[in-house]
Amino acid sequence: MSKDNTKVLFVCTGNTCRSPMAEGLFEKLIEKEPQIDSLGSAGVAAYPGDEMSHDTAVILKSKGIDSLKAEQFRSRQVTEELLNEATHIFAMTSSHLDTLVHSFPDYAEKCYLVCDFVSFDGKVGVDVPDPIGQGPRAYQMVASVFDGALPCIIQFIKETETSD
């Protein structure tokens, strides 16, 4: 890595559930990591301007993330400009990753799965489940996945920074 800060982007489908949750939880984790910045989140099929899902906002609030952030959040579509600015792009599923790599091949080397660096039930690189329409328990399960995966992402970033 260069001496510039690492810039992380999270990607899901509509940018209203999983990627905003990852964004909020990640930003809280990196508060004491001055070399890591968040570019936020985006969706491969987002309708720009949508609000964060209610259940995602509830999870973030329960984790101590400012509710004002949830109120101000608006979804956005993945763009080449965002991908160009990012140093690391983390997709929720292999389908999202495939879409990114095929639609934006110049940025493929920056793209990973959120769960590429953590094992769940002995498996690495699993998809983050889509909670939409499944109620609060499904969103809590997604938050649990992030609780395991996001610290591993931060560790990966730190290791790649020191090895470059």
Side-chain angles (χ1 to χ4, degrees), residues 24-34 36 64-65 154:
L25 296 172
F26 183 76
E27 287 175 358
K28 185 164 180 73
L29 285 174
I30 62 168
E31 286 175 350
K32 294 187 169 121
E33 303 288 346
I36 303 174
I65 289 126
I154 292 169

Side-chain angles (χ1 to χ4, degrees), residues 11-49:
V11 176
C12 70
T13 305
N15 192 217
T16 59
C17 298
R18 289 172 287 184
S19 59
M21 187 185 301
E23 172 186 344
L25 296 172
F26 183 76
E27 287 175 358
K28 185 164 180 73
L29 285 174
I30 62 168
E31 286 175 350
K32 294 187 169 121
E33 303 288 346
Q35 76 282 12
I36 303 174
D37 289 329
S38 171
L39 284 180
S41 60
V44 295
Y47 182 79

Side-chain angles (χ1 to χ4, degrees), residues 28-149:
K28 185 164 180 73
L29 285 174
I30 62 168
E31 286 175 350
K32 294 187 169 121
E33 303 288 346
Q35 76 282 12
I36 303 174
D37 289 329
S38 171
L39 284 180
S41 60
V44 295
Y47 182 79
D50 276 353
E51 294 180 0
M52 178 185 300
S53 77
H54 172 75
D55 289 320
T56 293
V58 168
I59 292 287
L60 292 177
K61 185 175 182 185
S62 76
K63 302 264 187 181
I65 289 126
D66 184 5
S67 61
L68 184 60
K69 179 173 176 56
E71 292 170 16
Q72 294 175 342
F73 178 87
R74 295 295 177 263
S75 63
R76 62 184 172 170
Q77 181 74 25
V78 170
T79 63
E80 186 167 1
E81 292 76 24
L82 269 176
L83 299 180
N84 186 51
E85 188 176 350
T87 58
H88 296 74
I89 302 152
F90 295 98
M92 299 298 137
T93 69
S94 55
S95 175
H96 298 133
L97 185 62
D98 289 345
T99 298
L100 288 169
V101 168
H102 287 94
S103 299
F104 304 96
D106 292 345
Y107 304 100
E109 75 284 351
K110 299 179 180 186
C111 297
Y112 307 90
L113 284 174
V114 165
C115 294
D116 269 348
F117 311 99
V118 63
S119 175
F120 290 103
D121 297 325
K123 297 176 186 168
V124 174
V126 299
D127 288 351
V128 177
D130 188 352
I132 197 159
Q134 297 181 47
R137 269 183 93 155
Y139 284 81
Q140 186 56 55
M141 181 168 38
V142 169
S144 296
V145 170
F146 291 141
D147 287 344

